[in-house]
Amino acid sequence: MATSIDGPWSSLSKSQQQKLRRKQLRTQHTLMRHEGIETVHQCTKNIFVGNGGLGNGIQREDLQHVFAPFGKISQILMIERKPYGFVCFEEVKESENAFNQLQGKTFRFHKETGNEVTLYLSYVEKVPVQLSTNKSLPPGLLIIEDFITMEMEKRLLESIEWDSDEERAQTEEKVLKHRRVKHYGYEFRYDINNVDKDKPLPCGIPALCNDVIEEIMQTGHVTQRPDQITVNQYQPGQGIPPHIDTHTAFEDEIISLSLGSEVVMDFKHPNGQHIPVVVPQRSLLVMTGESRYLWTHGITPRKHDVVPADHMTSHDAAESALTLHKRSMRTSFTFRAIKHKPCQCGYPTQCDSQQSKSPDNDKLLPKSEQEAENLEKLHVHEVYDVIAEHFSGTRHSPWPKVAEFLNQQPDGAILADIGCGNGKYLGVNKMLFEIGCDRSVNLIDICNQRGFEAFVCDALAVPLRNDSCDVVISIAVIHHLSTQERRLQAVKEIVRILRRGGQALIYVWAMEQVRYKVKSKYLKGSKKTNVEISMATNDGDTGSITKSSAHESKDVKPNKVGNISSEQGLRDDKGVETQKHQSSAKVCGGSDCNSSSNVLLDKSIDSSHEQATAKTDTTEEIETMTKNVTLKESPVAQTQNSQETSVVKTESSPGTPVASAESSKGTPVSVTNTENSSTLPVHINRTAFEKQDLLVPWHLKDKGGKKSENKKLDNPEKDENTGDVKGCHGDGAKSGVFHRFYHVFKEGELQNLCLQCSNVSVIKSYYDQGNWCVILEKV
């Protein structure tokens, strides 16, 4: 289980011991910061094991194996997501012996992964008191353990006739890509999140599955006989995003039979409540009522789950007996009954059937590429050109996590900031060769005035050569794109310009502005400044996703948003892009474009990048435990949003691809004649998001504030007939209220979007102050 690969502390040289002491001191600081516990010099029964916890892949069994030879252990305490643990002995002498022999020793845990860990030990007088983590199941959720025998499990697994690669290429595997899926009875179509109820599959339900259905009906927990089955096969490290099974597609009961491996399924309520549920192997999970219609369920893509320990000593408290469980290949059989009437459930906010009754529902989103371009032109590009100077005045402090990412890059690396806005992130690491681009001409002018290399372009057609950048960032940009296809194209452009092995950091505004019952700063509002802060963030096993999914949020930080619009560029046969400049756009950000960035440029780019100024308080990182995370099905999209401000600090960004050459000239246009935009809901600032696609107001600062040097920005163009400020919407046009389009992302949506690019590996996916964030690598 654990193999020692070096000797004890006493066998090391003085320089090695000094190095290890420094690392030991860091683990002690971590303990004090997280638990408020100080280490002591005298020997005690309790050993703090720095670098030996669930957070860095060490299992309870690993510590048991390493420490047991030195005496009787009274307790092993492992804390979820923490990189340390505690081992308590019955006698001080036993503890002292273990300490002397194991201090600074390196072990190779889990030979197949080659995971080498050096243990840094310290004595403590006490260990943390763990509050009980036992949580009741969501209402309407039932788990029946050992529902089938091992023999039946084997027969079911062997009975699956998976489609060939050629057959999968013609069906849903185009969408799921990394996951094996099989349907019986009716095919669930992931492109529409529904079933074609008039086209049952010719093969019907297999006889063996009918036997299982008979057993299910005999439990008395299911009233509607299932006539549709979806079989999902998950390799270790694969998962599925949080979702609610489509209300219009299926009846009340959703039944899932888990084979091959146990797994932790995460259930989340719209109010932020989160309940992880261990689903044992061969168990039957039944969702009805609230758990089926209101709570999202999903499986985080990782290779290990934190679960209650199977075997505890008599002194172990149940709540602290946690360990890691390594996932094996898991196959789920999901049984559902097709619904043939509109859904009349008591959860209309999550019900696609009841939501569709709204007369504006079919007008909410663009129906064509042209409509998408028009929407983004009016509600992103032209708005940001009008508010550019006011917007720039609220964007000055880099977000800590973004700055940390930039400062970790090697000296001399080439960085492209797609949607750079006023250039807030250009210059964070002065050892990089940097170039920015944005869709807003006026924001690029601000970049140029600050001495940055920046140019105007569209995020969907970035005029940089393939494989030309070591690092790319896109902060608060992609959420300004109004269709899934355009958002995917923006990610593909980022990947295209990255070299192999290069990394990109993407931020988008999250729909979940409350996470673990903690509100984001966007919802809390800013108490330290009179400027509005705008923030960004993101959002089971059954495989269908409703368009309206539960929101979840945590404390969130403000983000800059960068928008990039479309400026068409042409490429020659060699892949070199020729320039098609807009009349007012500056290219390369310099007078002669004679810097190192010239070797990258092929046409002009313009991007506006918005970032929040507030300091990040709370960041939750959901790190992928493997570089190759698989594509989760049915990604649900959401976008980063910026907020209005006349008295509050807002962060928003222009960062969408679109618009013709004329639109990039920055002339604001009235949006009141746009059918699509007029039906989009206008968000109330500082409130939770109710829709993923919406308009967010920006209140342009009046002349009483600091006067801009650009008269065009202080005196926005008005319609000759109405007197409305061009670019404003509805009644707010008279007062200079501008509405910006956002698509706020749900949890897992951004990661899924990235994984639709075949040559991408997600290194890390996390939540940062109201934003969903992904670090990806081109492979």
Side-chain angles (χ1 to χ4, degrees), residues 166-177:
E166 183 177 349
E167 290 172 321
R168 286 202 306 273
Q170 304 299 320
T171 58
E172 72 278 353
E173 289 300 326
K174 277 185 177 179
V175 179
L176 302 182
K177 198 172 182 181

Side-chain angles (χ1 to χ4, degrees), residues 405-406 409-416 431-435 464-473 494-505 600 776-778:
F405 174 80
L406 293 175
Q409 305 308 317
D411 293 354
I414 297 174
L415 164 69
M431 302 307 294
L432 303 178
F433 290 95
E434 301 171 320
I435 188 166
L464 298 178
R465 294 192 181 101
N466 296 348
D467 309 310
S468 59
C469 299
D470 301 301
V471 189
V472 177
I473 61 173
I494 290 171
V495 175
R496 180 185 63 78
I497 65 176
L498 265 181
R499 65 165 175 81
R500 287 189 180 182
Q503 293 189 355
L505 173 63
L600 307 177
L776 61 84
E777 180 177 308
K778 185 173 181 177

Side-chain angles (χ1 to χ4, degrees), residues 263-275:
V263 75
V264 171
M265 188 176 292
D266 295 299
F267 284 81
K268 299 173 185 177
H269 191 277
N271 66 8
Q273 185 180 3
H274 171 215
I275 300 181

Side-chain angles (χ1 to χ4, degrees), residues 575-591:
V576 179
E577 300 174 26
T578 59
Q579 300 179 359
K580 183 176 180 182
H581 302 286
Q582 297 175 348
S583 60
S584 63
K586 290 187 179 181
V587 183
C588 302
S591 57

Side-chain angles (χ1 to χ4, degrees), residues 219-388:
T219 65
H221 298 296
V222 177
T223 59
Q224 302 285 338
R225 184 181 179 87
D227 54 4
Q228 192 275 339
I229 301 175
T230 296
V231 183
N232 292 289
Q233 186 179 82
Y234 301 88
Q235 297 292 335
Q238 293 182 334
I240 183 171
H243 66 276
I244 299 173
D245 284 42
T246 311
H247 288 204
T248 57
F250 306 110
E251 292 289 353
D252 182 50
E253 298 104 347
I254 306 294
I255 308 112
S256 180
L257 181 64
S258 292
L259 309 179
S261 177
E262 76 175 16
V263 75
V264 171
M265 188 176 292
D266 295 299
F267 284 81
K268 299 173 185 177
H269 191 277
N271 66 8
Q273 185 180 3
H274 171 215
I275 300 181
V277 176
V278 178
V279 182
Q281 183 178 349
R282 295 187 299 279
S283 68
L284 189 74
L285 180 147
V286 182
M287 287 184 285
T288 61
E290 185 175 312
S291 65
R292 182 264 189 269
Y293 291 115
L294 184 62
W295 292 64
T296 65
H297 60 282
I299 298 173
T300 302
R302 57 193 176 208
K303 291 188 176 181
H304 295 81
D305 286 316
V306 177
V307 299
D310 292 331
H311 305 286
M312 298 180 294
T313 66
S314 59
H315 293 80
D316 260 342
E319 60 271 12
S320 63
L322 299 176
T323 189
L324 290 180
H325 173 265
K326 183 178 179 181
R327 291 184 186 176
S328 303
M329 186 174 71
R330 174 177 172 271
T331 303
S332 68
F333 281 69
T334 301
F335 301 84
R336 298 174 287 205
I338 300 297
K339 185 189 292 286
H340 295 281
K341 297 180 180 180
C343 180
Q344 299 295 329
C345 70
Y347 309 94
T349 59
Q350 306 297 331
C351 182
D352 55 319
S353 180
Q354 296 178 58
Q355 290 282 325
S356 64
K357 295 178 182 179
S358 168
D360 292 336
N361 187 68
D362 58 351
K363 300 178 182 179
L364 284 177
L365 289 176
K367 299 177 181 177
S368 67
E369 185 71 8
Q370 187 59 53
E371 287 185 3
E373 290 187 5
N374 292 339
L375 173 62
E376 292 163 15
K377 173 186 175 182
L378 295 172
H379 284 291
V380 180
H381 310 151
E382 293 171 350
V383 170
Y384 278 99
D385 266 336
V386 172
I387 69 172

